[in-house]
Amino acid sequence: MSNLIIYTSEYLRTTPETSCIAQALDTALGNLQIKHGELKNTNDYWCRDYMPIRLFDDGSAYATYTFNPDYLKDYKSKRPYITDQQEACKELDIHTPSHLHINFEGGNYVRCGNKVVMTDKILMENPHWPIPDLFCHLRDNLCGEIVLLPWDMKDPCGHADGMVAPLDDGRLLLNNCWRTQDRAFHRRLLKILEPHFEIVELSLRPEKYSWAYLNFLRVPGAVLLPCLSETTDCENDQEAIALFHQLFPEDEIVPIYALPLIRRGGALHCVTWELITPDLRAIDTVPCEREQV
């Protein structure tokens, strides 16, 4: 997919704690010959949450929405981190025929074929919508069946991309951290998902940050896997790398040290965003080695 571009916010590079992750992503994407660039006019590095969502695999259409999440707007000190989606997109060549006209976050959108998984936080973010009307609106505008998961309220963001990720052939990877933390919640997730998907559980030893491995970035020919240790040689990282080799036997597994992000509640999927351009014209990309600010 030569017209794929992976974007990150410029804040990922200019924030001292995460600049090493920006550089590692640049190097990995450069080695894989994947185009990559930086988003301007953003207010934080969690760009997955405020950028438009892709409706079709070919990138022929994206949908925009209102990004005004409660975990930012409800706190005066955090409101400056709300990114204006229109400003972030104004320098991009992107087709957005649909505006959802609802409060929405890209991290709460996981497409798997013709189905879309999200958490029921979407209901709480849009209380002015009658629930049946909101379901119909989402189904029609997202061009897919909506599969709604319960919100694990220990996570203030309530995003589905920390819970599930699409695999090949319609399978869905489920984070199994609830198997040990909350078995009733885990059973509830399975009961909702199993009628729709073949479920593969992310079976790793219980660890405070074991959930983060599911927040990977997949690009053509490779999986960029967030890891906990800088040398990716801790037991958890090695176990995760071996498991992802089994899950993606045709892809290269590229470990990326991501603990500074993971400590803040996200990983590689959260800080990246894919744009599929309608043509193959040259773009300005970020060099693999950048001077640190």
Side-chain angles (χ1 to χ4, degrees):
M1 191 182 295
S2 57
N3 54 340
L4 169 70
I5 311 167
I6 300 296
Y7 280 98
T8 55
S9 165
E10 60 185 335
Y11 276 94
L12 191 68
R13 174 178 54 86
T14 59
T15 301
E17 294 83 359
T18 60
S19 61
C20 63
I21 300 169
Q23 185 171 352
L25 283 170
D26 291 346
T27 301
L29 293 169
N31 290 339
L32 293 165
Q33 298 185 330
I34 303 291
K35 296 174 183 175
H36 50 293
E38 277 191 346
L39 297 166
K40 309 299 180 183
N41 308 307
T42 62
N43 291 342
D44 72 24
Y45 46 64
W46 305 111
C47 61
R48 179 71 57 176
D49 296 339
Y50 50 73
M51 294 302 290
I53 53 176
R54 180 157 49 105
L55 299 179
F56 307 107
D57 289 342
D58 63 1
S60 58
Y62 288 73
T64 54
Y65 48 87
T66 301
F67 178 69
N68 195 28
D70 57 356
Y71 55 83
L72 296 179
K73 71 178 180 181
D74 290 351
Y75 301 91
K76 187 176 180 180
S77 63
K78 294 184 178 180
R79 289 175 196 160
Y81 297 109
I82 298 175
T83 291
D84 183 307
Q85 188 182 80
Q86 187 174 356
E87 284 294 305
C89 293
K90 68 181 183 181
E91 297 180 9
L92 302 176
D93 184 3
I94 180 172
H95 181 48
T96 55
S98 175
H99 191 291
L100 298 181
H101 299 289
I102 58 173
N103 288 319
F104 198 86
E105 298 154 53
N108 197 21
Y109 173 84
V110 176
R111 178 171 287 279
C112 188
N114 63 352
K115 298 181 181 181
V116 174
V117 182
M118 59 182 65
T119 73
D120 57 14
K121 187 171 185 282
I122 188 73
L123 308 180
M124 302 169 204
E125 292 275 37
N126 296 279
H128 53 291
W129 278 79
I131 291 176
D133 293 350
L134 181 58
F135 262 93
C136 290
H137 180 75
L138 289 168
R139 181 198 63 207
D140 294 344
N141 284 273
L142 299 180
C143 308
E145 180 184 353
I146 306 302
V147 180
L148 210 60
L149 298 181
W151 174 19
D152 177 5
M153 298 188 73
K154 293 188 288 295
D155 168 22
C157 297
H159 290 170
D161 71 348
M163 303 175 74
V164 295
L167 296 173
D168 295 330
D169 304 322
R171 296 180 301 155
L172 197 70
L173 182 62
L174 173 66
N175 210 328
N176 78 335
C177 60
W178 296 282
R179 182 183 288 276
T180 54
Q181 297 174 6
D182 189 338
R183 292 186 179 183
F185 188 82
H186 179 259
R187 288 194 298 269
R188 190 176 172 195
L189 292 177
L190 289 175
K191 188 172 183 179
I192 293 169
L193 291 170
E194 284 178 339
H196 301 278
F197 306 101
E198 178 184 345
I199 301 299
V200 179
E201 293 200 47
L202 184 65
S203 300
L204 296 168
R205 71 186 70 220
E207 201 273 348
K208 181 179 180 181
Y209 295 130
S210 62
W211 58 266
Y213 297 109
L214 183 135
N215 201 258
F216 59 87
L217 173 66
R218 194 174 185 192
V219 297
V223 173
L224 277 58
L225 183 67
C227 288
L228 304 179
S229 60
E230 293 188 59
T231 52
T232 65
D233 60 355
C234 71
E235 253 186 289
N236 294 82
D237 287 348
Q238 288 299 303
E239 184 180 355
I241 291 168
L243 176 59
F244 273 77
H245 275 296
Q246 295 175 23
L247 292 172
F248 300 97
E250 310 251 329
D251 291 342
E252 180 181 355
I253 307 302
V254 182
I256 303 284
Y257 172 65
L259 188 57
L261 288 175
I262 294 166
R263 286 173 173 155
R264 290 164 174 77
L268 300 184
H269 189 262
C270 295
V271 297
T272 53
W273 178 74
E274 304 92 350
L275 176 63
I276 300 177
T277 60
D279 55 47
L280 302 180
R281 66 182 175 279
I283 63 158
D284 293 327
T285 58
V286 181
C288 291
E289 297 297 333
R290 291 195 266 206
E291 182 179 350
Q292 299 300 302
V293 176

